[in-house]
Amino acid sequence: MSFTYTHRFIALAYSFLLAFSFQSTASNDIVLRTCEISAASDPNVRLDFCLRSLAADPASDTADLYELGAISIELIGRNATSTRRYIDRLLKKKKKLSPDSYVRPRLSDCKELYSDAVETVGDSSAEYARKRYEEVNVKLSSVMDAVTTCEDGFKEMEGGISPLTKRNGDVFELTAIALCILNMHP
């Protein structure tokens, strides 16, 4: 009699394990497919960056395409906010710089650009929830412009080096991913 219960338990446990692995594979497939399509359609999106970024959010495990879009916009917001805070820290450290140093005014410009970008990403998220994809596209495109403007400001000076290149690149690429996902919506 215990032999039958043991077999039933093992069969039931195996069924749960099998069902869970199918669910996990299916949910990861949408992230993989979304990133593959994004990387193939936009030269600004790297497959590995896309996969790492979207998979970093635990909600992506069970997300559909719409939810991945929301996750991608949230990732932009987090990164833009983090970059704005980083700029604040740099400005505090750079107080010893002379007022005519090329770094301080550019960091100040970037702080303003990122402050606006954070607000714009919040607006984009609200528009996305309303499925107003054209508005989201315009707003996210302006975030890309802001990031590019920030980075380009450091290149205006001969030999100018941006302390924000990696962060600007990450926000830019996250935004490119979100725009690709947006373009996949019917």
Side-chain angles (χ1 to χ4, degrees):
M1 206 176 214
S2 67
F3 183 75
T4 305
Y5 289 119
T6 303
H7 278 112
R8 285 184 185 167
F9 176 77
I10 291 172
L12 184 61
Y14 181 73
S15 297
F16 282 129
L17 184 60
L18 195 59
F20 178 75
S21 72
F22 281 137
Q23 178 186 13
S24 178
T25 302
S27 65
N28 289 335
D29 281 352
I30 192 160
V31 171
L32 177 61
R33 282 180 293 167
T34 300
C35 287
E36 286 174 340
I37 292 168
S38 297
S41 66
D42 188 332
N44 296 306
V45 176
R46 294 170 291 150
L47 178 61
D48 62 327
F49 181 87
C50 181
L51 290 170
R52 277 193 323 270
S53 299
L54 292 178
D57 191 309
S60 69
D61 287 343
T62 58
D64 59 18
L65 183 64
Y66 176 81
E67 292 163 334
L68 280 181
I71 289 168
S72 69
I73 293 170
E74 185 178 321
L75 288 170
I76 299 165
R78 283 189 219 150
N79 277 265
T81 300
S82 172
T83 300
R84 185 182 62 196
R85 289 183 186 135
Y86 180 73
I87 293 167
D88 281 338
R89 288 193 304 273
L90 287 177
L91 283 167
K92 287 177 185 169
K93 285 182 184 177
K94 305 269 183 200
K95 284 190 177 186
K96 297 176 186 170
L97 290 175
S98 66
D100 58 336
S101 167
Y102 84 93
V103 175
R104 176 172 285 292
R106 278 148 188 87
L107 283 174
S108 294
D109 290 345
C110 288
K111 179 181 176 181
E112 186 175 325
L113 288 163
Y114 269 96
S115 293
D116 292 344
V118 167
E119 186 176 326
T120 301
V121 172
D123 294 343
S124 297
S125 184
E127 295 294 342
Y128 188 79
R130 293 182 193 104
K131 298 185 179 186
R132 296 180 62 187
Y133 301 137
E134 192 171 314
E135 290 295 318
V136 177
N137 190 317
V138 169
K139 290 179 185 306
L140 291 182
S141 294
S142 75
V143 170
M144 288 180 105
D145 290 342
V147 170
T148 302
T149 300
C150 171
E151 188 64 24
D152 287 348
F154 289 96
K155 295 176 185 172
E156 291 173 356
M157 296 296 292
E158 188 174 323
I161 297 172
S162 169
L164 303 173
T165 299
K166 167 113 175 60
R167 288 173 174 271
N168 285 335
D170 288 351
V171 173
F172 186 92
E173 191 166 356
L174 287 169
T175 307
I177 292 166
L179 288 169
C180 286
I181 292 171
L182 193 62
N183 289 328
M184 291 179 210
H185 286 294

